[in-house]
Amino acid sequence: MDTSSPIRWQVRRFRELDLDMLYAVLRLRAEVFVVEQNCVYLDPDDRDRHPNTLHLLGLAADDALAAYLRVLPPGLAYPQVSFGRVVTAAAFRGRGLGDPLLREALREIDRHWPGTDVRIGAQAHLRTYYGRHGFVAASEPYLEDGIPHIDMLRRADGESGT
């Protein structure tokens, strides 16, 4: 696994993921969200397979999956476009991949759904991180799978609000 090479960003729909990449995505999500975070829940859901869901892959030179998130079309999780399952593989942490991953996601959202608001359910401790990208709190904190979360909104027009 080449953890020193630049990351290539690719976007694929579910049916465009080959079996090896689908396995890598599901394995990484299980390693982090189920095992590391000690949350027992069914990670793969029908949202992954929706024809308009986008899977953003951060790939190292050897095609190792370094970072990932999925973008959900409006109406699937929230009335607005959304994203989630934001994750960086343990071997690639500390390289500052989070901000480029989020910038790529916002670029793809603007390309596929121009002029739309984005709403996410974020782990509460990441409020400042998402705030750097224009998101503001849009709910009170709540527990999801035993982890404090908060809904956050990024308005397409740059206005804050709930």
Side-chain angles (χ1 to χ4, degrees):
M1 180 178 320
D2 183 1
T3 60
S4 63
S5 67
I7 300 301
R8 295 182 336 273
W9 301 104
Q10 293 184 0
V11 175
R12 297 186 187 160
R13 297 190 190 270
F14 182 79
R15 299 220 179 269
E16 297 169 336
L17 295 169
D18 64 32
L19 289 177
D20 289 331
M21 187 53 63
L22 177 59
Y23 179 82
V25 165
L26 295 176
R27 180 183 173 105
L28 176 59
R29 287 176 16 184
E31 285 174 349
V32 175
F33 301 129
V34 177
V35 177
E36 254 184 55
Q37 296 181 356
N38 196 27
C39 289
V40 178
Y41 75 104
L42 183 61
D43 172 58
D45 59 23
D46 286 335
R47 292 175 179 172
D48 287 318
R49 298 175 349 146
H50 188 279
N52 293 321
T53 293
L54 303 176
H55 298 271
L56 178 57
L57 312 166
L59 303 172
D62 59 0
D63 288 333
L65 184 60
Y68 168 88
L69 66 70
R70 70 177 183 184
V71 178
L72 303 176
L76 197 54
Y78 295 101
Q80 304 87 351
V81 67
S82 184
F83 62 83
R85 304 298 203 266
V86 181
V87 63
T88 301
F92 291 88
R93 291 183 193 152
R95 290 194 44 203
L97 295 180
D99 288 325
L101 174 64
L102 202 47
R103 283 193 298 271
E104 287 294 325
L106 294 172
R107 193 169 314 154
E108 288 299 324
I109 288 168
D110 190 51
R111 191 165 76 89
H112 287 86
W113 299 280
T116 188
D117 296 344
V118 181
R119 188 178 197 98
I120 61 172
Q123 290 186 12
H125 74 277
L126 296 172
R127 183 178 181 164
T128 302
Y129 165 70
Y130 288 113
R132 288 196 313 260
H133 295 274
F135 288 87
V136 296
S139 76
E140 293 298 318
Y142 58 91
L143 284 180
E144 182 176 314
D145 300 316
I147 298 173
H149 280 69
I150 188 167
D151 284 356
M152 299 191 77
L153 182 66
R154 183 179 192 266
R155 295 243 182 236
D157 61 12
E159 297 293 319
S160 64
T162 56

